[in-house]
Amino acid sequence: MKDSIFPSAPIVQAGGLAKTFHDFWRRPMVRAVNGISFEVRPGEVFGFLGPNGSGKSTTLRMMLGLLKPSAGELRVFGSSPHNVASKARTGYLPEESCLYSFLTASETLMFYGSLFNLDRTVLRERVRQLLEMTGLQYAAGRRVGEFSKGMLRRMGIAQALINDPDLIILDEPTSGLDPIGCRQVKDLILTLAGRGKTIIISSHLLADIENVCERVAIMNNGNILVHGRLTELLENTSLCRFSVETESAEQIRAILDFLTRQIGQNAKMDHPRKTLEQFFIETLEQALPASKSPSGVAYAEKIAPFLAGKESPGKDAS
Amino acid sequence: MSRLGPEKRNIHSVILNKVPAIGGSASGGKSSCLRIAAIASLTIRIAINSRVFSIACASIMAVLIGLPFIIKGDGTPESIFYIFINYSLGLLIAVLSLLAAWCGAAAVSLEIDNRQMQLLSVKPLRAVEIWTGKLLGLMIMNVILLFFTGVLLYAMLQWSLASAKTTGQDLRREIMTVYRPVLPKSSEGAYKPVAIDPGQIHQWSFDLPYAKAAALIKYRFIPSPFAHQSPMPLDWRASTEKNASLLFSNTIASSPHMVISFRLAKTAADCVLKLDCRNMQTNPAVTVFFPSEHDLQAQIPEGNFETNLARALIMILARLCFFASLGMLAGTLFSFPVASFVSLGLLAVSFSGGFVRQLAETGMWFVSPNENLSRPLVFLNDMVRTLFRSIATILPPLDRFDPLAFLPNGTLIPMELVGQALLVLCVLYSLILVLAGAFCLSRREIGLPTP
């Protein structure tokens, strides 16, 4: 990508990627992805943004080897998405819960962790940390089938991170989460990005993408309409905003007069506002005790130490 | 919003170059076994939680406890044994086979339909590991079910024999003894059908390798004229080649078509047994006909029923392994409802191996070999024969590994046959199906949107 500032080879590289779904008789029905090209570099937080049915999830599933491209080329970690070695370094949160309803929260994480050949002690510690991080430590012994949608989402995130992956693919990560949960997920993404993890997010929630992504691709009808660095895409260079910390009406009037004289047109003044999300979280943080909710979900738990790089248990048992 | 810092840049430079810690070890046999074990243990839990396991246990109990009450025999130990082994165990084999095929189909297709396979597929697992793990889980479940079947069948059989009014210790012991069949010697190679006219005598000879206990002679015959169905007097005399003293001499009124047995006195080791049969039915004159070599055989006591039952259960396990693999292959190719039908259809085809082989030989069943057919019918007949010949080629010889061909008549199941069943059904056929299933699973698009 010409706007990439990263010198190393891309983690995900797609060229002319297309996907057509066929019916039973192999007749083409829907062209979900229409010859798109993009790259995701190491350490990037890359967002796919678009309305429902725009091809975001299909693109992610092709990256994971769950769907086969009809045309074009797709490489993950420099090899085919079906490569077992690249799968070992990938974490995936699907759009909908695909967990086994009869397993408890801790059994679920133990099962998925065991597929990565993690040492049992390391695995148990990671499970504990992930359950704490997702606020599910009080529901560790409960069956996943009894979980609410938000709790399932948290479980999905936890299972996606059990192997401390280098590439994390999150399909609608904040769907079904309450604002605090959304904030925690975003904080988690930023923490992981800070550790050099590559994160690909698909969402139609603009705030999610805006808060965490460095680069985005806006998709519609299987095409990428726009892609690039978010700061560059959103910047309006014809407008300037000045911030001044004062409550004096006289000072404000004097500044406005000065600006109007300098630029030859009326300058505007308004007060900065918090976002509703910020306001909501602040209000709840003041009101909520630091205990679990009736559903068994706890709030405001820290990032799992092994994900924050503060603890480095051996990944491999062998 | 995080921005790139020096620490982050350093990490980037190593991400692509670092050795894949987990993927690299994935090739190791031990780690592969651990992943297969994880999938197998999950499959068992799915079976238990979906109540398949409890339904299977309930079915086994219902058949073993309920069927002997429904099917009334004459109360003799032979009939009790026959009901338990032929009907109850026969029905259980059918139920367990259906269950194995259905569970196999469900184990894969339901996971794909419910999208749980998506999460498994993005983990560092090879398709063959997923498939093997699932098959292993199903087989462990089948082992437990068969063990339960064996224990319950044996307990019920012992209890029923003990409570049978006419049971004597000797008779019970005889029923619970397993025999090895010895066919009559034939000097000309192939066995020739034997016909004994009224007043005539025929001699058979048997090579008896040893005789730890008294041997049995079992026979059945066809009368000629066929309409004669009343018991006929046959005079049997048995002696050894070295010692002409009679081991047995008696006239038995025998009914045609029925299996009759009589006990010989204990013989010396490695002897040639001479068996004479005189047809005493002169008025009306009836010829006695032994068309097959299996119609007359000496049976040497060689083991107990418990050993034979264990061997039979191992043979059933080998068959279940094949059916489970067959179901799993159907589950890999189709969605759950279709896979269920297909697996049950394949099960039916596998069971009807004899019919398929017959059609492969003769062509269409309504066409006799000597009939002059029109050209289209000849072409059609050839097509049918070719089709069924190819099906017969790939079908496993299930009828060869049928434990019900041995257990009800107290014939010992040779250990070689058990080994062959394991080798052919568990290793050869299941391995082919595992590889085919894993290939199909790796080719299948797991992430297709739900309709």
Side-chain angles (χ1 to χ4, degrees), chain A residues 248-261:
Chain A
S248 160
E250 282 179 14
Q251 279 183 343
I252 292 168
R253 198 175 303 117
I255 290 167
L256 281 174
D257 289 344
F258 173 77
L259 286 174
T260 305
R261 276 200 305 276

Side-chain angles (χ1 to χ4, degrees), chain B residues 214-274:
Chain B
L216 279 179
I217 295 290
K218 282 197 174 182
Y219 68 92
R220 65 180 167 191
F221 61 88
I222 297 171
S224 178
F226 191 72
H228 183 89
Q229 294 293 318
S230 49
M232 293 169 54
L234 297 178
D235 186 35
W236 293 92
R237 285 164 190 272
S239 58
T240 59
E241 205 171 44
K242 289 178 185 170
N243 185 356
S245 62
L246 288 179
L247 296 166
F248 182 88
S249 174
N250 205 352
T251 302
I252 304 171
S254 315
S255 296
H257 312 300
M258 286 184 68
V259 176
I260 309 291
S261 62
F262 58 86
R263 182 177 289 274
L264 291 177
K266 190 177 171 183
T267 60
D270 295 328
C271 68
V272 176
L273 177 78
K274 300 285 183 191

Side-chain angles (χ1 to χ4, degrees), chain B residues 2 5 47 124 140 239-240 261 275 283 356 362 365 387 396:
Chain B
S2 83
I140 292 171
S239 58
T240 59
S261 62
L275 186 68
N283 189 22
V356 170
T362 60
W365 59 94
L387 173 71

Side-chain angles (χ1 to χ4, degrees), chain B residues 53-109:
Chain B
F53 196 76
S54 44
I55 288 170
C57 287
S59 308
I60 291 167
M61 287 175 72
V63 169
L64 285 177
I65 297 170
L67 205 63
F69 285 103
I70 297 168
I71 302 173
K72 294 287 179 195
D74 55 10
T76 59
E78 286 96 337
S79 74
I80 290 172
F81 184 81
Y82 195 76
I83 288 169
F84 269 104
I85 300 301
N86 211 38
Y87 293 128
S88 300
L89 189 60
L91 184 59
L92 275 180
I93 290 174
V95 169
L96 290 176
S97 302
L98 282 172
L99 203 69
W102 185 84
C103 282
V108 183
S109 63

Side-chain angles (χ1 to χ4, degrees), chain B residues 272-291:
Chain B
V272 176
L273 177 78
K274 300 285 183 191
L275 186 68
D276 297 320
C277 175
R278 183 189 294 274
N279 182 358
M280 311 283 280
Q281 181 68 45
T282 49
N283 189 22
V286 177
T287 300
V288 178
F289 194 51
F290 295 89

Side-chain angles (χ1 to χ4, degrees), chain A:
Chain A
M1 305 287 293
K2 64 182 177 184
D3 57 348
S4 174
I5 62 165
F6 302 102
S8 40
I11 293 265
V12 179
Q13 193 171 23
L17 190 66
K19 178 66 193 173
T20 306
F21 290 114
H22 298 86
D23 67 1
F24 182 79
W25 307 107
R26 302 291 303 159
R27 289 176 304 190
M29 295 295 286
V30 181
R31 193 160 174 88
V33 176
N34 198 8
I36 61 173
S37 300
F38 62 91
E39 281 180 1
V40 182
R41 300 252 164 201
E44 265 190 315
V45 182
F46 189 90
F48 281 105
L49 197 59
N52 293 332
S54 56
K56 307 184 296 289
S57 295
T58 304
T59 308
L60 294 192
R61 286 174 189 175
M62 283 193 280
M63 283 182 213
L64 291 155
L66 295 172
L67 290 174
K68 289 188 174 62
S70 306
E73 198 187 359
L74 179 62
R75 302 191 78 75
V76 179
F77 289 110
S79 63
S80 159
H82 293 94
N83 190 313
V84 174
S86 65
K87 283 181 181 179
R89 300 167 61 186
T90 307
Y92 171 52
L93 169 70
E95 193 177 355
E96 292 169 57
S97 170
C98 314
L99 304 170
Y100 296 97
S101 58
F102 57 86
L103 293 180
T104 64
S106 54
E107 284 171 346
T108 301
L109 295 182
M110 287 296 285
F111 168 67
Y112 286 115
S114 67
L115 301 178
F116 290 93
N117 303 322
L118 292 168
D119 179 76
R120 296 295 284 183
T121 320
V122 174
L123 181 56
R124 265 189 224 107
E125 180 57 22
R126 283 192 181 187
V127 168
R128 190 190 63 74
Q129 290 180 14
L130 282 170
L131 287 172
E132 246 178 47
M133 183 189 84
T134 50
L136 292 171
Q137 71 269 39
Y138 299 110
R142 273 178 59 191
R143 288 178 169 219
V144 170
E146 300 166 3
F147 281 10
S148 68
K149 196 180 174 192
M151 290 167 84
L152 285 173
R153 210 74 197 135
R154 289 160 188 263
M155 270 307 298
I157 292 169
Q159 68 77 26
L161 299 173
I162 190 77
N163 57 326
D164 192 12
D166 295 325
L167 170 65
I168 303 158
I169 298 176
L170 306 170
D171 199 352
E172 308 282 0
T174 55
S175 157
L177 291 178
D178 57 31
I180 293 179
C182 290
R183 185 67 260 164
Q184 286 175 348
V185 169
K186 289 179 205 171
D187 288 344
L188 173 68
I189 291 169
L190 294 176
T191 306
L192 294 170
R195 278 190 62 211
K197 307 285 184 186
T198 309
I199 301 165
I200 301 173
I201 304 172
S202 149
S203 182
H204 57 261
L205 301 174
L206 307 183
D208 287 358
I209 298 285
E210 188 179 359
N211 290 349
V212 294
C213 291
E214 292 166 23
R215 287 200 309 130
V216 295
I218 298 176
M219 292 188 73
N220 190 37
N221 285 334
N223 297 302
I224 291 181
L225 301 178
V226 179
H227 73 286
R229 294 184 64 78
L230 198 61
T231 46
E232 291 165 9
L233 292 174
L234 299 182
E235 205 171 45
N236 186 348
T237 49
S238 61
L239 283 177
C240 291
R241 180 182 289 175
F242 301 95
S243 296
V244 179
E245 205 168 303
T246 178
E247 290 181 2
S248 160
E250 282 179 14
Q251 279 183 343
I252 292 168
R253 198 175 303 117
I255 290 167
L256 281 174
D257 289 344
F258 173 77
L259 286 174
T260 305
R261 276 200 305 276
Q262 289 297 316
I263 60 177
Q265 54 180 301
N266 281 339
K268 289 177 186 172
M269 191 283 294
D270 58 12
H271 294 287
R273 290 170 60 175
K274 291 177 183 174
T275 62
L276 182 58
E277 184 191 12
Q278 278 177 317
F279 179 71
F280 181 84
I281 290 168
E282 282 173 15
T283 310
L284 273 190
E285 278 174 350
Q286 287 166 12
L288 278 175
S291 63
K292 63 174 178 175
S293 77
S295 65
V297 180
Y299 292 102
E301 294 295 340
K302 60 183 180 184
I303 303 290
F306 83 91
L307 291 174
K310 290 172 188 167
E311 193 182 84
S312 54
K315 267 188 171 184
D316 198 350
S318 56

Side-chain angles (χ1 to χ4, degrees), chain B residues 125-236:
Chain B
L125 285 166
R126 291 178 181 84
V128 74
E129 288 173 343
I130 297 177
W131 234 82
T132 313
K134 294 213 161 283
L135 182 60
L136 184 66
L138 291 175
M139 287 317 297
I140 292 171
M141 191 186 82
N142 282 326
V143 167
I144 297 168
L145 287 176
L146 277 177
F147 181 76
F148 177 61
T149 303
V151 169
L152 193 61
L153 173 75
Y154 186 71
M156 285 294 295
L157 185 62
Q158 288 288 6
W159 177 76
S160 301
L161 287 177
S163 57
K165 286 174 189 168
T166 55
T167 308
Q169 278 294 325
D170 287 345
L171 194 53
R172 237 190 355 248
R173 202 175 301 125
E174 189 176 304
I175 289 169
M176 301 302 275
T177 305
V178 176
Y179 298 88
R180 186 157 69 88
V182 178
L183 301 180
K185 278 203 299 184
S186 175
S187 53
E188 294 156 9
Y191 178 85
K192 280 190 172 177
V194 172
I196 310 173
D197 291 326
Q200 295 297 305
I201 190 165
H202 183 84
Q203 188 179 69
W204 290 273
S205 57
F206 300 87
D207 276 329
L208 296 187
Y210 65 91
K212 288 178 190 167
L216 279 179
I217 295 290
K218 282 197 174 182
Y219 68 92
R220 65 180 167 191
F221 61 88
I222 297 171
S224 178
F226 191 72
H228 183 89
Q229 294 293 318
S230 49
M232 293 169 54
L234 297 178
D235 186 35
W236 293 92

